[in-house]
Amino acid sequence: MTSEVEHAAHDHASAIPHAHTHEDAAETPGYFEIMEISVRELLIERQLITEAEIHRQIDVLDSRTPALGAKIIARAWVDADFRGRLRADGRKTCEELGITFYDNTRLIVLENTEKVHNLVVCTLCSCYPRPILGLPPEWYKLKPYRARAVSEPRKVLAEFGTIIPDDVEVRVTDSTSILRFLVLPRRPPGTDHYTEEQLAGLVTRDAMIGVATIAAPISEQNP
Amino acid sequence: MEITEGAVLETLPGIVLATGESALYQTGDKVRVLTRKPIGHYRVPIYLRGKSGVVQSVIKPALDNEAEGFGRNAGRERHYYRITVSMAALWVGYAGAPGDALLIEVFETWLERI
């Protein structure tokens, strides 16, 4: 938060008639929370949207988690035909699995290979493939990640513990408008005998954003 | 390859296309992102303005965000282009591999052919 925003938040909070004590200071809503509540209440009061619509949208968001993305990745690992269709038209292929795109975005699936590592960021705000991954992590929305992912991606990756060799190209995708992106990580070695469900269990949210790779299962590393 | 949803349309003689129906650029075309400073809503990061890249894929027409921000939607659909820009061309003294690149989708009105 900038000092200007903090100042504005303080002014706004002090305008509330019921003064807060130090004990409940943590309960005091922040500047943006107050703004959100005010706008929401106004929209409802003016009958532009309803409470029911808001609750419905929260239910929609809650039904989307990285488990959906993991299911897509695992299917792509075991089914080359599915992977091909996913690369050709991400949204249509996810819809075949029964995952809808309620925000009317399109999906491009970025496949990591021996020679290419993909990383996804939204420098302007927080565009994220919510229909298949749910809400983005906090760091994804903060300025340090957004600014540095496009200017020094290898350093950012290293801070996530992901070292990309120099002979592998780092491709950073800045998501700015109608497209959303899902990284298709490389299938870890030693998983040939895994079922699709077991493979899905290995896929992490961070690997689908591209800040991580998927390590071989520990039992496979030290047999 | 990535999706290519739009294309340069080939039509029968006499057919006149509406603005935005046919893609202005094709995969492989070299383009430059314009240096403009619009007031209001836009979806082109400042670090990208004036930089050159290559069209990687053509995305089917969608609304112009800048016009939509002011409620002007009719006739405002144009293609988006996913372009590749070399990291070394974006950042002075970029520390990384020479092949490192940035990919970003840019609205048609923000591009010029080079």
Side-chain angles (χ1 to χ4, degrees):
Chain A
M1 233 186 211
T2 65
S3 57
E4 200 181 319
V5 171
E6 277 169 346
H7 186 68
H10 183 259
D11 283 354
H12 201 140
S14 63
I16 296 171
H18 308 286
H20 289 277
T21 62
H22 283 290
E23 284 72 34
D24 64 7
E27 305 282 321
T28 308
Y31 175 76
F32 291 108
E33 196 178 350
I34 291 170
M35 185 162 71
E36 181 273 319
I37 293 167
S38 309
V39 171
R40 171 160 46 87
E41 289 184 347
L42 261 174
L43 288 169
I44 292 167
E45 192 181 297
R46 300 292 166 91
Q47 298 183 333
L48 293 165
I49 58 173
T50 65
E51 282 274 12
E53 284 172 323
I54 293 169
H55 286 296
R56 179 59 174 255
Q57 193 58 26
I58 291 169
D59 287 345
V60 170
L61 288 167
D62 282 350
S63 75
R64 312 308 173 102
T65 72
L68 294 174
K71 194 187 277 279
I72 295 162
I73 300 300
R75 176 70 58 87
W77 281 343
V78 300
D79 182 344
D81 182 52
F82 178 85
R83 186 169 65 242
R85 282 182 285 126
L86 192 65
R87 296 274 285 119
D89 190 335
R91 175 174 171 169
K92 195 174 149 198
T93 310
C94 290
E95 284 170 341
E96 275 176 33
L97 281 185
I99 302 167
T100 63
F101 281 67
Y102 62 86
D103 57 1
N104 201 26
T105 49
R106 292 173 212 155
L107 183 72
I108 290 185
V109 175
L110 306 166
E111 187 171 6
N112 284 348
T113 66
E114 273 179 21
K115 291 289 162 208
V116 174
H117 180 87
N118 288 286
L119 176 67
V120 179
V121 62
C122 171
T123 55
L124 294 177
C125 52
S126 56
C127 297
Y128 190 73
R130 292 167 196 235
I132 51 170
L133 294 185
L135 294 173
E138 200 59 26
W139 53 260
Y140 184 88
K141 299 185 279 184
L142 298 178
K143 283 182 180 169
Y145 176 76
R146 286 159 49 196
R148 295 182 59 221
V150 289
S151 58
E152 45 182 25
R154 285 175 186 265
K155 275 191 196 167
V156 172
L157 285 164
E159 285 167 26
F160 277 94
T162 306
I163 309 295
I164 305 298
D166 279 348
D167 63 342
V168 175
E169 284 177 24
V170 170
R171 290 189 193 159
V172 180
T173 286
D174 190 354
S175 182
T176 62
S177 56
I178 50 169
L179 300 178
R180 296 294 178 269
F181 301 90
L182 175 73
V183 175
L184 171 53
R186 297 179 68 198
R187 180 172 174 167
T191 56
D192 289 351
H193 59 291
Y194 274 49
T195 64
E196 195 176 322
E197 286 71 25
Q198 284 175 312
L199 287 169
L202 299 175
V203 181
T204 63
R205 177 197 68 195
D206 287 1
M208 292 185 280
I209 299 172
V211 293
T213 54
I214 300 175
I218 289 167
S219 59
E220 303 296 333
Q221 288 171 347
N222 306 296
Chain B
M1 239 359 260
E2 287 187 5
I3 52 169
T4 291
E5 299 175 319
V8 180
L9 299 177
E10 288 181 20
T11 57
L12 284 174
I15 293 288
V16 177
L17 294 171
T19 306
E21 259 193 294
S22 181
L24 283 187
Y25 310 107
Q26 298 179 69
T27 301
D29 284 356
K30 287 183 182 160
V31 290
R32 185 186 293 119
V33 179
L34 296 176
T35 304
R36 292 201 277 130
K37 297 183 176 70
I39 293 168
H41 189 65
Y42 55 81
R43 303 301 298 174
V44 179
I46 286 167
Y47 74 80
L48 196 68
R49 297 181 197 179
K51 305 294 182 184
S52 302
V54 177
V55 175
Q56 166 104 0
S57 57
V58 183
I59 313 299
K60 71 181 178 187
L63 270 182
D64 179 351
N65 284 300
E66 287 165 41
E68 191 186 17
F70 293 93
R72 296 194 294 264
N73 292 6
R76 299 283 178 164
E77 286 201 351
R78 298 282 181 92
H79 287 76
Y80 267 100
Y81 301 87
R82 189 158 143 79
I83 66 169
T84 308
V85 185
S86 153
M87 281 290 187
L90 270 182
W91 313 106
V92 176
Y94 174 75
D100 289 0
L102 180 103
L103 289 106
I104 186 164
E105 75 256 41
V106 181
F107 199 67
E108 194 168 82
T109 54
W110 275 89
L111 295 174
E112 64 180 351
R113 193 183 300 279
I114 51 173

